[in-house]
Amino acid sequence: MSKQGVLSIAGVDPSGGAGLLADTKVFHQMGATGFGACTAITYQNEDELSGINWISWEQIRAQLEPLFTLYSINVVKIGIVENLEVLHRLLKYLRTKTEVEFVVWDPVMVASSGYRFHTSLSAEVLKDCMGMVDVVTPNQFEMEEMMALLGMSRVEELARYTNVIAKGGHLNGQVSEDTLYMVGGRSLTLTRERLKTTGKRGTGCSFSSAMAAAKHLGNSLEDSFEMAKTYVYELLKNSEEKLGNHHDIKLNVK
Ligand code: PLP
């Protein structure tokens, strides 16, 4: 049988704080085989992001073909992509792969450093894209942007299209609260103490990758959410540095 794994389709941050390098650290740490395809090359270290070169859809697809030819990939995480049109083509392609059971979309628009990746959003394409993923993991800013575009006033309304995890990490307050709004109306809120951090890189990337790895390993949506929340909590807690220290993180994963 071909090797089974979880795939990240994301940008390269050469410092390894975010993007593909961080994603594969998470996969490894959680005991999953990780594959990766590159959507962008960024120029950055942990302090600043100075630029980006996008990889075309054709080049992304050319990276995916050999992976899907040889390996069995049941879960995919998607990070930065140039715009919604590229995402749409990517999702249509993934939906032709019958072994792909679960797609996590981290709708990265702005890096923790403040760098803006893209602004080109169209309501119709966004709805279509949401309909083709199994969970979307926006931070507060990304959620507001999506809701404004779709003319929504309540987060729950987003879950008409797909499961949504609204991350509260960038908000203030004593606790850090994330809520999973599920298609069908149920919701689950997870709360942890808010840690004082020094601008840790790649928390969004690590969260969505941990979700993907947990799903790949056979966990439910709710359990995967809980594991991802714990993973990021441990990442924030285990070092004062901006670059995360993944190798100490131990989760009780199936
Ligand atoms: N993906 C790449 C390649 C990045 O370089 C960044 C940030 O610099 C992100 C995603 C977003 O990172 P975060 O996890 O902080 O949202």
Side-chain angles (χ1 to χ4, degrees), residues 197-212:
T197 57
T198 44
K200 181 82 88 208
R201 292 287 171 250
T203 49
C205 299
S206 299
F207 181 86
S208 51
S209 296
M211 273 297 299

Side-chain angles (χ1 to χ4, degrees), residues 13-54:
D13 161 5
S15 77
L20 271 184
L21 296 176
D23 295 349
T24 46
K25 290 178 203 173
V26 176
F27 294 160
H28 178 85
Q29 208 54 31
M30 290 185 62
T33 295
F35 300 109
C38 177
T39 56
I41 302 167
T42 69
Y43 308 104
Q44 64 177 312
N45 56 31
E46 66 197 70
D47 292 329
E48 65 169 350
L49 197 162
S50 60
I52 185 160
N53 273 128
W54 293 104

Side-chain angles (χ1 to χ4, degrees), residues 15 23-25 57 63 107 109 120 123-125 128 153 159 168 173 196 198 205 211 218 220-221 224:
S15 77
D23 295 349
T24 46
K25 290 178 203 173
W57 160 241
Q63 295 173 75
M109 294 173 202
S120 69
E124 282 317 304
V125 186
D128 245 29
S153 54
K196 283 207 173 15
T198 44
C205 299
M211 273 297 299
S220 68
L221 178 66
S224 300

Side-chain angles (χ1 to χ4, degrees), residues 140-184:
Q140 181 66 23
F141 169 81
E142 291 152 354
M143 207 168 58
E144 283 167 11
E145 194 114 328
M146 291 165 92
M147 285 166 60
L149 189 75
L150 299 175
M152 293 171 173
S153 54
R154 296 165 57 245
V155 187
E156 291 86 329
E157 293 174 75
L158 277 176
R160 259 191 236 146
Y161 300 101
T162 190
N163 300 303
V164 178
I165 298 180
K167 295 178 298 183
H170 293 89
L171 300 173
N172 296 315
Q174 297 272 307
V175 292
S176 151
E177 207 173 81
D178 298 341
T179 301
L180 163 63
Y181 297 95
M182 286 170 264
V183 174

Side-chain angles (χ1 to χ4, degrees), residues 45 73-74 79 84 95-96 114 122-123 125 148 150 164 196 218 238:
N45 56 31
I73 294 165
N74 68 339
L84 280 185
R95 286 307 179 199
T96 67
S122 119
V125 186
L150 299 175
V164 178
K196 283 207 173 15
N238 77 3

